[in-house]
Amino acid sequence: MAIARLSQSEIETALADLSGWALREDGLAILKAFRFADFSEAFAFMSRVALEAEKTDHHPEWFNVYNRVDVTLTTHDAGGISARDLAMAAAMERFAR
């Protein structure tokens, strides 16, 4: 089953509810830089996200150094942003609290 790419207006509406997330310049991904107190908190966050990613079969692109986790979400099969990306971003927001 094909994964639908979201429209620009759907993406903009969703981003209004996702604090700190931004549209990548090319409009094909959303981005956020998470900051934590230390490496242990960053790693715990990444572990929770990894379990969710396996459960939903939707994996983030990310980069970690010490307390920082930079995340890019896109759906390659949709050629851009899909509902899967927004769901993963919302889960990340819950896990980062």
Side-chain angles (χ1 to χ4, degrees), residues 67-87:
N67 69 333
R68 186 180 85 225
V69 181
D70 297 329
V71 177
T72 301
L73 295 175
T74 190
T75 303
H76 300 288
D77 292 342
I81 300 164
S82 75
R84 287 177 159 204
D85 300 304
L86 301 178

Side-chain angles (χ1 to χ4, degrees), residues 23-97:
L23 190 61
R24 192 169 68 190
E25 282 186 25
D26 64 6
L28 299 177
I30 56 175
L31 314 165
K32 182 167 181 177
F34 290 91
R35 299 291 184 270
F36 299 93
D38 55 29
F39 178 74
S40 293
E41 283 190 19
F43 193 85
F45 167 78
M46 292 175 69
S47 295
R48 288 188 293 271
V49 172
L51 293 172
E52 181 71 12
E54 283 297 298
K55 186 171 91 176
T56 62
D57 192 30
H58 190 62
H59 303 85
E61 298 173 17
W62 56 16
F63 178 78
N64 166 247
V65 173
Y66 184 59
N67 69 333
R68 186 180 85 225
V69 181
D70 297 329
V71 177
T72 301
L73 295 175
T74 190
T75 303
H76 300 288
D77 292 342
I81 300 164
S82 75
R84 287 177 159 204
D85 300 304
L86 301 178
M88 182 60 72
M92 288 180 167
E93 289 301 312
R94 289 190 308 274
F95 299 149
R97 292 184 195 141

Side-chain angles (χ1 to χ4, degrees), residues 6-16 23 27 30 81 86:
L6 297 177
S7 70
Q8 188 67 27
S9 65
E10 289 172 315
I11 295 165
E12 289 171 3
T13 299
L15 286 179
L23 190 61
I30 56 175
I81 300 164
L86 301 178

